Amino acid sequence: MPTELLPQPPPGVPAPPGKVAKRSKQRLMNLLAIGFVAMFPFGCFTLGRLAEFGFVSNRGVANRITADANAKQIGQALLEFDNQYGKYPDATTAAMVKAKTGSTWMLGDATSNDLFQQFMVSGIVISEDLFYAKSPWTKKADNIFTSESQALAAGECGFAYITGLSSKDDPDTPICVTPLEPGKLTSDRESFDGKAIILRLDNSVIQLPIDPSGQVILNGMDLFDPRQPFWHGKAPNVKWPK
């Protein structure tokens, strides 16, 4: 008995584009991964974990979307802190947090790690995970923060923080940025495939291109240029992670 053949394409019709179909499938998987993060905003599923299971093949994409999701959670923490203390964490709120909680921690303001400790002492944040953003200078948090030296130890925070801002400032003003190079206003282009993650005062998160010199570009100029309308001619007070 002759073997029955499946229906064949007419002569001259090219074979299905396997590589294009594969890319389309991967894009779909990436979108599904983003959906998982949106469904679990408090870190039940991170893109790093999803990448381990094959949902996201591009590690740079996974790192970028994880940082995006974590930035949104920091934004929520900032809103709650502002509701409780009337402003965002800075050198002056440290005394307020200690008075309210009875904490004996110093709560310094030299780095973003120091200032973000105020979230933890106040009980607004109960995990170090949301401060993570992949870069050459960071490491996964161990979630041990029973002492000041352990809480957000060196490398466990990936976000620079612009201090001295108010919820009454321009809503487009950046307040957290990653991945800034240590002590510089330039960013690492490799961490997130040439993009920087910016949390703004309106709690929106945007991704901006990093040029070959490491500058984050907005409105045709460097993000930290005092000529940017939201800086009102003054250089921002940046606190880098330690």
Side-chain angles (χ1 to χ4, degrees):
M1 180 180 293
T3 303
E4 184 177 354
L5 297 176
L6 294 174
Q8 300 297 304
V13 175
K19 290 185 179 180
V20 173
K22 184 176 181 180
R23 287 197 298 267
S24 297
K25 180 180 178 181
Q26 188 57 56
R27 283 195 293 268
L28 175 60
M29 297 301 284
N30 287 351
L31 289 172
L32 288 173
I34 295 169
F36 273 113
V37 172
M39 291 169 60
F40 298 94
F42 295 103
C44 297
F45 290 91
T46 67
L47 262 291
R49 291 299 304 278
L50 289 171
E52 293 174 9
F53 295 104
F55 279 93
V56 180
S57 63
N58 186 320
R59 177 62 64 175
V61 171
N63 293 338
R64 186 168 73 231
I65 304 175
T66 297
D68 188 291
N70 286 346
K72 289 182 174 70
Q73 293 187 65
I74 293 174
Q76 292 296 325
L78 286 165
L79 290 175
E80 181 58 30
F81 193 93
D82 184 57
N83 287 336
Q84 291 191 26
Y85 295 96
K87 58 193 309 187
Y88 299 131
D90 63 15
T92 65
T93 56
M96 299 162 61
V97 171
K98 288 191 282 188
K100 184 175 181 178
T101 64
S103 174
T104 59
W105 291 13
M106 290 181 59
L107 297 179
D109 67 336
T111 68
S112 58
N113 303 54
D114 298 326
L115 289 161
F116 289 155
Q117 283 182 345
Q118 295 186 39
F119 289 137
M120 312 185 85
V121 172
S122 62
I124 292 172
V125 171
I126 56 173
S127 170
E128 295 175 320
D129 290 336
L130 74 162
F131 302 105
Y132 176 72
K134 175 66 176 178
S135 79
W137 312 282
T138 57
K139 62 183 180 181
K140 288 291 183 70
D142 58 15
N143 274 316
I144 299 174
F145 46 90
T146 54
S147 69
E148 189 167 14
S149 62
Q150 295 170 321
L152 290 177
E156 292 183 334
C157 177
F159 290 89
Y161 174 63
I162 291 86
T163 190
L165 299 176
S166 161
S167 57
K168 298 179 176 62
D169 287 325
D170 185 334
D172 290 338
T173 307
I175 189 166
C176 287
V177 181
T178 187
L180 280 190
E181 296 177 309
K184 301 179 181 179
L185 296 179
T186 51
S187 295
D188 176 58
R189 300 186 76 219
E190 302 299 322
S191 296
F192 310 130
D193 285 345
K195 296 291 182 67
I197 308 299
I198 317 296
L199 171 66
R200 304 192 293 187
L201 287 183
D202 64 358
N203 209 31
S204 65
V205 176
I206 60 173
Q207 300 182 13
L208 296 177
I210 304 170
D211 75 8
S213 71
Q215 291 185 326
V216 179
I217 303 301
L218 178 66
N219 301 322
M221 66 184 90
D222 185 77
L223 179 71
F224 299 100
D225 193 316
R227 293 175 296 170
Q228 293 283 7
F230 38 74
W231 300 133
H232 304 291
K234 297 180 180 180
N237 187 0
V238 180
K239 301 294 184 179
W240 286 267
K242 66 180 176 182

